């Protein structure tokens, strides 16, 4: 049922706006700043905005690449990658590493970033990043449409085998998310967002399903229209 309140469209027909809203709606999204090496040991560093965490135990993260790029090829051939946290002081350098360089170009050098050796995998870490995850590839999945059509996009999943956290961002045993000033992709042609202390708030899950029902019973039903 169509409703004038909503801009409704089918993606296959086009969105009818100045910029595709999909990426802006699923926002902000953490950035997968992924370091790999090829079989000859040549480093590669590239950011991916389709990135997230998918499991607690063992910890699994993943990034999706539109196109079979050097990062995916390296991850497949070596079975390893490193994720580096992008922060506000590093965002310009992250942006430089997004350019389409040839496979022999070291994006660490292009962006003026020092490397630090990993402990359990071959790809280096971004030394200036306050958090890095060393990962071993668990799956590389070519995405498919609902029709079954195989897409030119690949989801790479990896188990986090070593985590490095700058001690200055751990206070009283708690990792201080906002203190690192993480940057996230926020859609648009070039929109980004920063997690800042002022934007943080605390919200705890209901202690039980019964507690959720009791709390919900006290809420007024929101109107379907403004």
């Amino acid at each position: 049922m169509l409703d004038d309140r909503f801009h409704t469209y089918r993606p296959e027909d086009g969105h009818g706006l100045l910029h595709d809203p999909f990426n802006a709606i699923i926002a902000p999204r953490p950035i997968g700043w992924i370091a790999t090496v090829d079989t000859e040991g040549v480093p590669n560093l590239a950011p991916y905005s389709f990135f997230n965490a998918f499991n607690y135990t063992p910890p699994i993260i993943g990034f999706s690449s539109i196109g079979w790029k050097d990062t995916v090829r390296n991850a497949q051939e070596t079975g390893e990658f490193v994720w580096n946290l992008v922060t506000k002081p590093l965002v310009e350098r992250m942006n430089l590493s997004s350019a389409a360089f040839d496979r022999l170009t070291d994006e660490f050098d292009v962006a003026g970033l020092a490397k630090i050796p990993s402990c359990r995998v071959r790809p280096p870490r971004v030394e200036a990043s306050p958090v890095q995850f060393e990962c071993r590839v668990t799956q590389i999945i070519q995405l498919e449409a609902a029709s079954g059509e195989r897409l030119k996009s690949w989801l790479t999943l990896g188990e986090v085998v070593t985590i490095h956290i700058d001690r200055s961002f751990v206070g009283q045993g708690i990792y201080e998310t906002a203190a690192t000033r993480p940057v996230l992709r926020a859609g648009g042609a070039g929109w980004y967002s920063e997690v800042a202390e002022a934007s943080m708030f605390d919200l705890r899950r209901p202690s039980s399903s019964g507690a959720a029902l009791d709390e919900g019973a006290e809420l007024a039903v929101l109107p379907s229209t403004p």
Side-chain angles (χ1 to χ4, degrees):
M1 178 183 296
L2 294 180
D3 184 334
D4 287 343
R5 176 187 167 200
F6 296 96
H7 175 76
T8 301
Y9 67 94
R10 297 179 179 180
E12 64 267 29
D13 298 332
H15 49 76
L17 302 176
L18 293 177
H19 192 278
D20 191 336
F22 176 75
N23 288 358
I25 294 167
I26 310 299
R29 303 185 310 280
I31 299 169
W33 205 13
I34 307 298
T36 58
V37 295
D38 66 15
T39 54
E40 302 300 318
V42 177
N44 181 275
L45 180 66
Y48 291 85
S49 65
F50 289 129
F51 166 84
N52 222 308
F54 295 96
N55 197 58
Y56 268 127
T57 308
I60 291 176
I61 62 173
F63 63 94
S64 183
S65 173
I66 300 174
W68 185 263
K69 298 178 180 176
D70 292 342
T71 302
V72 185
R73 186 198 66 246
N74 291 349
Q76 181 191 60
E77 292 179 351
T78 67
E80 300 172 341
F81 65 90
V82 172
W83 171 78
N84 304 273
L85 178 66
V86 177
T87 63
K88 188 64 180 297
L90 294 173
V91 70
E92 301 291 346
R93 297 170 191 266
M94 175 278 295
N95 196 43
L96 289 175
S97 71
S98 70
F101 297 104
D102 64 72
R103 62 181 298 177
L104 296 179
T105 299
D106 185 340
E107 289 85 358
F108 283 86
D109 292 341
V110 171
L113 294 164
K115 304 180 183 77
I116 186 171
S118 296
C119 296
R120 301 177 69 185
V121 300
R122 284 164 287 184
R125 299 176 278 146
V126 174
E127 185 173 7
S129 176
V131 182
Q132 309 105 16
F133 292 171
E134 298 183 22
C135 302
R136 293 197 177 121
V137 175
T138 58
Q139 294 170 276
I140 297 180
I141 303 164
Q142 185 172 7
L143 301 184
E144 296 183 2
S147 64
E149 175 191 1
R150 295 173 74 83
L151 306 177
K152 293 182 179 180
S153 293
W154 284 265
L155 172 63
T156 300
L157 298 170
E159 179 179 341
V160 181
V161 295
T162 305
I163 295 174
H164 306 272
I165 305 172
D166 186 320
R167 293 183 186 277
S168 63
F169 297 107
V170 178
Q172 297 181 343
I174 297 174
Y175 171 68
E176 298 171 341
T177 302
T180 63
R181 302 178 67 193
V183 169
L184 307 101
R185 190 71 170 92
W191 294 346
Y192 288 82
S193 176
E194 176 188 350
V195 176
E197 196 66 44
S199 65
M200 300 284 284
F201 61 92
D202 190 62
L203 183 66
R204 305 300 173 96
R205 293 182 182 181
S207 57
S208 66
S209 58
L213 289 171
D214 290 342
E215 185 176 341
E218 299 176 0
L219 300 176
V221 176
L222 290 176
S224 58
T225 57

